[in-house]
Amino acid sequence: MLSLISILAIDNLFYSPESSFKSSKESKLNKILKKFAYANQTILPSDHLLKVNIFHHYILSHNKKSFCKEHLINSKGIKRAVQVRAQLADYIEQI
């Protein structure tokens, strides 16, 4: 639940490279979305679950910079989501 709230707190999870053609960007983004949407076949794909799945893969990745670049993830945005999640966890722990 914390991951969902934190990922929804950021404006743009994905970025769009300027140098690519529009159709090329869309096809690459669609491939990335399909990769994360169907990583767990027991769950029906949805926007929220897709974002949480991406967030958890980011957390588990060893090279976060290359993960963001490879998957067109806005690195500043997802770093902010990690911070928000940590803050929420601290608030809950204090309660």
Side-chain angles (χ1 to χ4, degrees), residues 14-58:
F14 298 100
Y15 78 92
S16 170
E18 299 289 328
S19 62
S20 302
F21 293 107
K22 185 176 180 180
S23 62
S24 172
K25 288 188 288 188
E26 289 174 358
S27 69
K28 183 170 182 176
L29 184 58
N30 285 334
K31 287 178 187 176
I32 291 167
L33 294 177
K34 284 180 184 179
K35 174 184 174 182
F36 289 108
Y38 301 110
N40 185 352
Q41 294 292 334
T42 61
I43 303 173
L44 293 174
S46 76
D47 290 346
H48 292 87
L49 293 176
L50 173 74
K51 289 180 178 183
V52 169
N53 196 11
I54 292 170
F55 182 78
H56 286 169
H57 277 82
Y58 172 80

Side-chain angles (χ1 to χ4, degrees), residues 6-7 9-10 55 76-86:
S6 64
I7 202 74
I10 62 172
F55 182 78
K76 289 181 182 178
I78 202 158
K79 285 178 187 176
R80 177 70 183 132
V82 170
Q83 292 172 342
V84 168
R85 189 183 191 292

